[in-house]
Amino acid sequence: MAVSAICRWEYRGEGHRSIVVADVNNRRVYRMIKRPCRPVNHTLTHEERMQVQSRELHQLQLIADYVSNVMSPIIPAAFVVSPVLVDIAGSHMAEVAKSVEAMRPAHRKNKEVDPASRSALALPDLCFVPNALPLKAQPPTVSIEIKPKRGFIPTSPYIAKENQIKLEVCKYCLHTSLKLKRGVWTQTSKYCPIDLFSGNVHRMKHALYCLLETPRNNFRICKNGQEIFGDFAFEDLSEHLHDFLSGLSFVDRNGVRQERCISVFLDLVVQALLWCPPSEREKKSYYRISEDPQPVQHCANSIYRQGSALNTGETTGLPSGCILDTILRIQHLDDLDIEGIILLYKRLKQHFKDNQDCSSSTWQLDGPYRKDSWKIKKASCSPMSSVELMVQKIKEFLVSMTVQDCSIMISLQPIDASECDSWYVANNPDQTLVDLDGQLYKFSVGTIDLDPKPFDKIPKYFQQDLDIMEAYRKALMMEREQQSEQS
C-alpha cells in the first residue's frame, strides 16, 4: 500500500523510537521509525540506504504482526485496529520531517525521521470518531489519550520479604520516588492507576482529576487533532470545552463555569471507559483471558478515601468487556511479578546455553509473531520445570508488559440535529454518550502503543524494579527522619 501524494501533515506525538504524524486530508496517522541525527554533510551510500530500509521494514512488520496475531485475538474488535504497513516515497519523508519539525519538543530532537526510510505503519486517526462525516460545519471533536499504566497490586509468592511493600503500594506510586530521585519529575503525582481501574465512578473521576493536575506523559487532550492540554500544553481547558459542551447552561461567575465544564467532561470520559461493545456482536471476536471476577484493590499511597470503598472482599465495578476490564485482565498475565519472571528467564538462558540447537529464536520469543506460536491462554503458575511452560509464562509476561505501557484513545463529538448526525445515531445506536443536560455525543474508544517487548529486556525490568525499591525505601527513611526531627 502506498501513501497518496496529496497529504497535509500534522504532528501527533513521538516516543523514544518513533514519531507519529497525521495526514489531515485522509484522517490517517503514520508511525515512522526515528534514528539519531546525522551530520548535515553526511551522505549514505546506496548500500547503507538499502540496509536502513530493510531494517526498518523488518521492525515495522514485527509490530504489525504482533498487533494482528497476538493482541487482536485477546482484545474486543471495537478497541483495536491492526496497523497496515505502507510505502512512502523519499520526497514524502523529507516533507514530513520539514512539516512537523517546529512542533516537536526540544528534548526529542536528538533523533529524526531518516530520509532514507521508505516504510511506515498506517492507522485511522483516533483523534476523530470513525464514521463521522468530515463536514466543516460539524461540532468540534475532543480526544483524550490516557496511558493508565499497571492497574493492579501483585500477589506473587515470589516477592522477597524486603519488598513486601509491593503488596500494598502500586508500581506507579513506587516508581514516583525513583523518578523524583533521578530528576525525571520535579514534583510528585497524586494519580494512582488502582483508582482508575477500580470501576468506582468517584474513584475513577478522582484519578482523572489527578491526571489533569500532573498530566506528564500519561494524559493529554486534543481538539480537532491539535493538542490543547498535556505535559507541554497548558491552555485554558475550560475555554476549549465551552464550545464543545455548548448544550450546557453555564453560570459564569467565581469559576463555576470552569469547574462544571471540566466535571461534565470527565463524566463523559468515565462513561467511555466503562462502555462495553454490544455483547452479541463482540463475544466471538476475541478470546477472554479470564472470566473470574477481579477483586477491588486499594493502594496505600492513594489519597482517595471513601468509607465503605475500603472494604475488603469487594469485587470490581468494571463492567465485563469494557476497555479497562480488558486491559486489566491481560495485565494480570503477569502473575509471577518480575521477581518470579527473572528466575524463569535465567533458567531459559541456561537451557539455551546447554542446548545449542535451542534458542529464543527457536521459541520465537522475539518473533516472528504468529498465531500458532503466540496463542495466549493463561497457564498454570506451577510447576515451572518444563521448558514449554516456562516459555509460555515468559510470553504471558511480555504481553502483560505491552498493555502495562499501552494508551487508551477516546474521541468525543457532540451530536447536533443535522441529517448526517441523524444517520450516525441510526447506524450506531449503541455508541452514543449523554451528559447531565441530555446532550448526545458520538464517541469511540481504542488502544494504541501495543508494541512487542523484547525477551532480553527482562533483566532491565528486573534492575528497574531493584532501583524502584531502593529509591522508595530511601524516600521513606528520609520522610521518617524528617517527622522525627519535627516531633
Side-chain angles (χ1 to χ4, degrees), residues 165-274:
I165 190 64
K166 289 161 70 173
L167 305 178
E168 300 176 14
V169 180
C170 77
K171 181 181 178 180
Y172 183 87
C173 293
L174 290 170
H175 203 172
T176 297
S177 298
L178 180 62
K179 291 190 175 182
L180 290 171
K181 176 185 174 183
R182 293 180 173 175
V184 178
W185 292 353
T186 56
Q187 66 177 111
T188 190
S189 172
K190 296 176 183 176
Y191 168 68
C192 179
I194 309 302
D195 292 329
L196 186 67
F197 281 91
S198 68
N200 178 311
V201 294
H202 301 294
R203 285 179 70 186
M204 293 174 68
K205 194 171 180 180
H206 165 78
L208 294 173
Y209 270 118
C210 291
L211 286 172
L212 282 175
E213 188 176 323
T214 49
R216 306 263 161 70
N217 69 331
N218 298 98
F219 191 78
R220 67 181 189 141
I221 301 172
C222 295
K223 186 176 182 182
N224 291 333
Q226 297 292 316
E227 184 172 350
I228 59 172
F229 186 85
D231 204 19
F232 301 101
F234 289 97
E235 299 184 29
D236 186 343
L237 187 57
S238 63
E239 286 300 317
H240 283 284
L241 294 178
H242 187 224
D243 61 330
F244 173 73
L245 301 169
S246 57
L248 294 178
S249 52
F250 294 104
V251 181
D252 191 9
R253 66 172 185 273
N254 299 326
V256 172
R257 185 184 78 172
Q258 179 180 2
E259 291 178 10
R260 189 169 184 225
C261 263
I262 294 174
S263 178
V264 170
F265 174 68
L266 294 184
D267 284 338
L268 290 171
V269 175
V270 170
Q271 283 188 58
L273 290 171
L274 296 177

Side-chain angles (χ1 to χ4, degrees), residues 12-13 47 65 73 140 151 174 205 217 227 253 265 274 276 296 302 313 347 350 360 377 416 421 426 448:
R12 278 289 184 268
E47 183 179 352
D65 289 345
L174 290 170
K205 194 171 180 180
N217 69 331
E227 184 172 350
R253 66 172 185 273
F265 174 68
L274 296 177
C276 297
V296 167
S302 171
R347 288 186 204 171
Q350 186 61 48
S360 60
K377 289 191 176 182
D416 60 27
D421 274 343
I448 58 173

